[in-house]
Amino acid sequence: VFCGAGLIADDLRHNALQLYFARPLKKRDYLTGKAAVIFFFLLIVTLIPGIVFIIFKMIFAGSFQFFASYPWLILSVIAYSLLITIFFAFYTLLLSSIGKNRRYVAILIFGVYIFSDIFSAIFKEIFRSPYFYLLSIKSNLQQVGAVLFDQRTPWNIPWYYSLLVIVAICLFSAYMLKRKVRGVEIIK
């Protein structure tokens, strides 16, 4: 995620957006290219280790009994990996578009993630309601991940609330990116 901290921030700092959009490049193409970098690195650390773990488990077990017992596991790994990748791509691009300084953006990405967890724990303890876990990015991802892996959810709140929070953050990020990244009109 931190590798994407400077993706849009560097372009804003160096006023490179005008150069990109001076060519027949659409906003969608620009953002897709930036998101592809984040997708690549996140899939390397989420999808590939999960699939390698399943393969090694079958190799060391010496049979396909593990796969026969948990046939949905490979789909769960793929779905959760894609959930994390898509969420953090939107999250990183949004926060990257806010500032022009790469270090500031990296701190912001880390800070929002950590402080969302801290604030949700504080409010949960004050008001004694598990619904404040919906303020935490990590808790929402864990809640949806538990459902994808057919486990009991960690908090006593409906899992689809967490999914709605994740989708809402992605939609808000897409909306803000659409407004923040502007092309330059070329007059011939």
Side-chain angles (χ1 to χ4, degrees), residues 1 6 12 21-22 69 76 152 182 186:
V1 174
L12 290 172
F21 295 124
S69 299
S76 296
R152 195 174 67 93
R182 290 194 176 98
I186 308 291

Side-chain angles (χ1 to χ4, degrees), residues 105-166:
V105 170
I107 291 169
L108 188 63
I109 290 170
F110 181 72
V112 169
Y113 183 81
I114 295 298
F115 284 118
S116 73
D117 206 30
I118 293 170
F119 287 137
S120 72
I122 290 171
F123 286 131
K124 191 260 178 206
E125 288 300 316
I126 292 173
F127 296 107
R128 302 280 184 218
S129 173
Y131 285 91
F132 283 102
Y133 281 123
L134 293 173
L135 297 175
S136 170
I137 294 171
K138 181 177 84 171
S139 298
N140 287 315
L141 291 171
Q142 287 175 342
Q143 189 86 345
V144 175
V147 171
L148 288 175
F149 285 99
D150 198 29
Q151 300 292 312
R152 195 174 67 93
T153 56
W155 297 279
N156 194 19
I157 55 175
W159 67 271
Y160 51 86
Y161 286 179
S162 292
L163 182 62
L164 286 174
V165 169
I166 292 169

Side-chain angles (χ1 to χ4, degrees), residues 22-35:
R23 291 161 185 80
L25 181 69
K26 296 179 181 161
K27 218 186 302 190
R28 178 188 57 211
D29 299 330
Y30 172 76
L31 291 174
T32 302
K34 295 295 183 178

